[in-house]
Amino acid sequence: MRQKQLFLLLALPVLLLQASPATAREEGLSLQVKSIQFPSADRTIHASLTGSEHFDISWHIDGGEWPSNLYAATDSTFYYKQAGSRVAILPSGEITKPRANAQEVHLPIPPGIQAEGSRISSSLSKRSWTYSPPEGKSFLPDSLQTDLAGHLYIHDDHGGWYALNYETGKIRYMLQLDSTEPGADSDFIRCRVAPSGDAICASKLIGMIGIRERTTAPRVFINGLEQFYAQKPLILNGTTLVPLRGIFEQLGAAVKWDETNHSIKASKSGKTIKIVVGSKQATVGNELITLSKAPIIINGTTFVPLRFISESLGAIVIWESPIAAIQIIS
């Protein structure tokens, strides 16, 4: 099955060194720092990933022709041009077929966030914070990006790539090239973040890499294509919960949120589905059904029991326990 053939062969040239674990102090937190080597034909490029206990470089493509027009689409697939061809790659590193209508996504920066060379700050009264880059480095304000969870991503002027928690301003992870490497400062890493929070970085020195959060969350496949969400599926008290909007919209349903009564109404092919957060009762067409667990909201995302997908939209849902994967077939 194509979805399971991950791009693992491309990850082989990355060497991770952890013989002597290191930590970095960040606002009272101890973050693990992983040393990384990217072997090339004439030398080895050294880099470091701070926050490697939660994030990892999951795949690597050797350097070569510089990819142009690198961007992320609404479904978190990355696109770029290389050797005159349009290439699509999933956050997992798997090459996939480009969609003709895929458009670059531009998510708005959360309110209250300001970026300048010396700092990033939040001016919100309940989320006031300031983060400054390491000494001798400056942020590139025009490179500021965000994901659907609101987390912030930015470059510095020495090729560094930072991921910050929107609410606290604390580092989630930081990727740095060894500044002593010839050409490190002049050959910046250029990174893009997807709505899911997965990132892809390209450099003439190291090629292309994918940075992903370490997780044991179930993987989701819809009609054979793996899906990527900012808020991942979870298992709570034995019940598998999935993000409703992302899956419903991928299956062709229009979704509307009603803030007044915390309800969601979805429609597809003349059928209307309505759920209320906190209630096990849902309406599918003219039928009242009872959910195994009431919908809940986590970090702004509504989660529903997996089985509700089949009950509401008539999709076939398969839980593959050995590999913790959810297969949804419409």
Side-chain angles (χ1 to χ4, degrees):
M1 186 169 60
R2 181 175 61 86
Q3 306 80 3
K4 295 181 182 178
Q5 296 173 353
L6 298 183
F7 223 36
L8 297 181
L9 71 163
L10 297 177
L12 294 179
V14 182
L15 301 181
L16 304 180
L17 305 180
Q18 287 183 290
S20 55
T23 59
R25 290 286 176 181
E26 177 58 40
E27 300 188 21
L29 296 178
S30 294
L31 300 177
Q32 183 175 326
V33 182
K34 177 182 289 185
S35 296
I36 308 166
Q37 293 182 357
F38 297 96
S40 62
D42 57 346
R43 57 182 167 146
T44 297
I45 306 301
H46 296 270
S48 65
L49 180 67
T50 301
S52 59
E53 68 270 39
H54 300 302
F55 295 87
D56 195 17
I57 295 177
S58 60
W59 53 268
H60 172 225
I61 301 175
D62 282 335
E65 181 181 341
W66 182 262
S68 62
N69 300 328
L70 175 63
Y71 69 88
T74 54
D75 64 353
S76 292
T77 300
F78 293 98
Y79 289 82
Y80 61 93
K81 286 186 177 180
Q82 195 165 43
S85 298
R86 188 164 176 257
V87 183
I89 187 169
L90 300 177
S92 61
E94 181 185 1
I95 297 293
T96 187
K97 182 179 179 179
R99 291 190 297 113
N101 60 347
Q103 299 294 321
E104 182 175 3
V105 62
H106 295 279
L107 297 177
I109 301 300
I113 297 298
Q114 294 181 330
E116 51 189 85
S118 62
R119 64 179 184 172
I120 299 177
S121 61
S122 171
S123 60
L124 297 182
S125 58
K126 294 183 179 180
R127 296 177 180 172
S128 179
W129 53 262
T130 298
Y131 179 84
S132 298
E135 185 177 355
K137 300 180 180 181
S138 298
F139 286 132
L140 302 177
D142 289 344
S143 69
L144 184 63
Q145 303 169 50
T146 188
D147 61 23
L148 280 176
H151 298 309
L152 304 169
Y153 304 79
I154 195 169
H155 282 290
D156 70 22
D157 58 354
H158 282 63
W161 172 247
Y162 303 72
L164 301 176
N165 185 295
Y166 162 57
E167 295 185 342
T168 65
K170 294 179 180 179
I171 279 287
R172 303 177 72 227
Y173 71 82
M174 176 173 59
L175 178 70
Q176 296 280 347
L177 287 182
D178 187 342
S179 60
T180 63
E181 288 290 342
D185 291 351
S186 60
D187 189 85
F188 298 116
I189 297 176
R190 291 305 182 197
C191 302
R192 294 292 181 270
V193 67
S196 62
D198 299 292
I200 188 171
C201 299
S203 166
K204 292 180 182 178
L205 288 175
I206 65 173
M208 296 180 65
I209 61 173
I211 305 177
R212 305 192 67 192
E213 186 173 7
R214 296 179 182 271
T215 180
T216 57
R219 298 163 63 197
V220 178
F221 297 85
I222 296 181
N223 294 327
L225 185 63
E226 187 169 7
Q227 307 297 303
F228 303 91
Y229 306 106
Q231 299 296 333
K232 297 174 177 57
L234 56 96
I235 299 176
L236 187 62
N237 297 327
T239 300
T240 301
L241 302 175
V242 295
L244 181 145
R245 178 181 289 273
I247 291 179
F248 269 39
E249 289 183 340
Q250 188 64 29
L251 291 173
V255 180
K256 292 185 179 180
W257 165 257
D258 189 336
E259 178 65 31
T260 58
N261 57 12
H262 284 194
S263 68
I264 290 180
K265 183 180 292 186
S267 58
K268 179 184 179 183
S269 303
K271 179 188 290 186
T272 300
I273 301 113
K274 183 176 181 181
I275 66 167
V276 178
V277 173
S279 172
K280 288 187 175 182
Q281 302 302 311
T283 303
V284 179
N286 296 321
E287 182 182 359
L288 185 67
I289 66 173
T290 301
L291 307 181
S292 59
K293 184 176 180 60
I296 60 175
I297 296 179
I298 301 177
N299 295 329
T301 298
T302 302
F303 285 79
V304 296
L306 172 62
R307 196 55 52 189
F308 180 66
I309 304 300
S310 60
E311 294 174 337
S312 58
L313 295 179
I316 298 173
V317 178
I318 302 171
W319 167 249
E320 296 187 70
S321 181
I323 59 172
I326 300 166
Q327 297 281 354
I328 301 174
I329 306 170
S330 64

